Amino acid sequence: MNFVRVAVVLALSAIFVACASSPAPMTQEDRNDVYFPTAEGRWETADPDGSRLDTKALEELFAFAKETNASGLVIVQNGRILAQRQWELDNPPVQGNVGYRDIWYHGRTPDGWAREDVASTQKSVIAVLAGIARDRGVLDFDKPLAEYLGPGWSQAAPEQEAAITVRHLMAMTSGLSEKLEYLFPVGEDWAYINKAYSLVYDVISAATGRDTGELSREWLTEPLGMTQSEWITRSEFFRQWNMNGFVTTAPDLARFGLMILASGQWDGRTIIRRETLEEILSPSSPHNPAYGLLWWINNPEGWRWVRGLKEITPGKVIGAAPADLVAAMGTSERRCFVVPSQGLVVTRTGSTWKLDEEGNFVSSRDFNQTFWELLSAALGNQGADGT
């Protein structure tokens, strides 16, 4: 397949113009090479003789996934499954006495895959839904939120609130705290805020006059055959952050990633316009080159992480992964990785939290790097480009 990276310039109506590397859209020839699974029947697998998979290295990857409490792992190339594995998790800790099964787990599919709330991976799903709404002419990223939600939706002063647009929420540059209080002037810094982001779900409903969950089924999950995916109302545990949860499986999430890989197409149908998707997957703020509109980007120009880092760290978010990787990422390393240059989609569900010998909560802080080192080895080093 002929995947290349191109430089794209995203002109924002806000304060700046940001330039960065972004995957080129797929050509029609590329799309013809991609297999799209049907909603019924078995998902086709790749030819093992042509995949160059290193089976020993693949088993090392699976061992790492099991060790770090994965419930599911799916690797797809050009639409066909290269490898997949699922595990049964007991109840690894999440916070205090709360465990994985208490808040994330929502049962298993008939073929054994865990159905779980994929945490902030949902942000990238909402970004696509917002993009579809804009494609349909019912949502404007650059309108103030007050035009959809009415005034007084935040704890900021009226003049501060009036300057905040839908785009600011999606770029994490709203300047608000988790309590929706004023932190900094809109657009002048980057802060990963769940409470502010969660309002995008409500904005879509207000803009369309319909429930966002219903639209998700109509616009996204049903067309893609994501039969195990739905929006739910979370438990009170999430009250301070976001009460909307997206429940899915590793295979369903791989369908979502495959649509992203195919530049918004699904078996001849346009789910989201290519130009809209390119904008979503391009840097949205100079204050974090690795963040698009609710998507992570493996931008060599640098990155800031979710908590604490005020300075931009040079280099890619995941050094071992290709520079054209884009990712939907949630806590406990719930992942949907998409790499256009390799025709690759990789999804992981589960939880990485564990208790150490002293009873403290720990997670695999080097998860992304280790995962991609092992995955690249399993793929015969075709997954890394060294940039």
Side-chain angles (χ1 to χ4, degrees):
M1 297 177 68
N2 181 25
F3 292 100
V4 296
R5 293 194 303 275
V6 296
V8 295
V9 177
L10 173 60
L12 300 180
S13 63
I15 305 170
F16 65 94
V17 175
C19 300
S21 264
S22 178
M26 297 178 74
T27 65
Q28 187 59 50
E29 181 182 356
D30 291 332
R31 293 192 190 103
N32 291 340
D33 288 340
V34 172
Y35 161 76
F36 294 94
T38 61
E40 303 83 19
R42 182 174 175 270
W43 191 334
E44 289 185 13
T45 57
D47 178 2
D49 294 332
S51 64
R52 294 173 50 198
L53 272 177
D54 182 321
T55 55
K56 181 180 178 180
L58 180 64
E59 287 304 317
E60 291 179 2
L61 174 65
F62 283 146
F64 173 73
K66 181 179 181 180
E67 177 189 347
T68 53
N69 284 334
S71 60
L73 179 63
V74 177
I75 305 170
V76 173
Q77 193 160 44
N78 302 340
R80 290 179 170 81
I81 294 175
L82 277 180
Q84 59 183 345
R85 191 73 61 87
Q86 54 184 277
W87 298 268
E88 180 78 34
L89 300 187
D90 47 20
N91 198 30
V94 175
Q95 183 174 322
N97 294 323
V98 177
Y100 162 79
R101 288 178 172 270
D102 302 316
I103 59 173
W104 299 122
Y105 183 76
H106 291 270
R108 301 189 80 81
T109 67
D111 52 355
W113 292 97
R115 294 185 74 245
E116 64 183 56
D117 184 329
V118 289
S120 287
T121 304
Q122 67 161 264
K123 290 181 170 67
S124 301
V125 177
I126 279 290
V128 169
L129 292 174
I132 297 172
R134 192 177 77 165
D135 287 348
R136 293 173 180 243
V138 293
L139 179 63
D140 187 336
F141 287 1
D142 297 308
K143 278 190 176 181
L145 255 70
E147 295 201 22
Y148 298 105
L149 302 182
W153 57 268
S154 77
Q155 301 300 313
E159 64 275 12
Q160 295 164 344
E161 179 185 279
I164 301 172
T165 67
V166 177
R167 187 186 298 277
H168 289 129
L169 294 190
M170 296 174 70
M172 297 292 179
T173 58
S174 68
L176 299 178
S177 71
E178 289 289 1
K179 295 182 179 180
L180 301 183
E181 297 169 334
Y182 176 82
L183 281 180
F184 54 80
V186 62
E188 294 190 14
D189 202 353
W190 183 88
Y192 189 92
I193 304 299
N194 286 295
K195 194 68 172 180
Y197 143 74
S198 70
L199 294 173
V200 180
Y201 187 99
D202 300 325
V203 165
I204 295 172
S205 291
T208 60
R210 297 181 59 191
D211 177 73
T212 300
E214 293 178 2
L215 291 175
S216 183
R217 286 192 295 273
E218 180 181 320
W219 292 352
L220 190 64
T221 59
E222 286 186 358
L224 271 56
M226 298 172 66
T227 59
Q228 299 297 324
S229 301
E230 63 178 330
W231 288 94
I232 63 163
T233 300
R234 288 168 160 172
S235 71
E236 286 298 312
F237 176 85
F238 295 97
R239 176 65 62 182
Q240 62 181 313
W241 301 295
N242 176 17
M243 290 296 289
N244 302 310
F246 187 67
V247 172
T248 188
T249 65
D252 265 18
L253 203 55
R255 289 173 177 262
F256 176 68
L258 181 57
M259 182 271 294
I260 300 299
L261 179 74
S263 302
Q265 302 291 308
W266 187 266
D267 200 16
R269 174 177 177 174
T270 297
I271 303 298
I272 181 173
R273 291 176 63 245
R274 181 194 68 201
E275 295 80 5
T276 301
L277 189 58
E278 286 178 340
E279 183 176 338
I280 288 171
L281 299 178
S282 298
S284 58
S285 165
H287 303 291
N288 189 352
Y291 206 71
L293 296 177
L294 301 175
W295 277 83
W296 289 93
I297 307 163
N298 209 26
N299 189 350
E301 293 183 8
W303 55 276
R304 287 170 63 182
W305 204 230
V306 174
R307 297 284 183 263
L309 291 176
K310 290 296 184 181
E311 300 297 325
I312 293 174
T313 301
K316 298 181 293 185
V317 176
I318 309 174
D324 67 333
L325 173 144
V326 294
M329 298 201 288
T331 190
S332 288
E333 280 61 62
R334 295 170 175 89
R335 298 288 188 261
C336 178
F337 294 120
V338 180
V339 184
S341 62
Q342 302 298 331
L344 196 65
V345 175
V346 183
T347 60
R348 179 206 182 269
T349 54
S351 175
T352 55
W353 290 96
K354 295 182 178 182
L355 290 175
D356 64 16
E357 294 180 355
E358 298 177 354
N360 299 314
F361 288 97
V362 294
S363 66
S364 178
R365 297 186 182 278
D366 298 324
F367 174 86
N368 285 331
Q369 181 70 10
T370 302
F371 182 90
W372 273 95
E373 288 172 353
L374 293 169
L375 177 60
S376 296
L379 294 173
N381 293 319
Q382 61 174 302
D385 62 3
T387 60

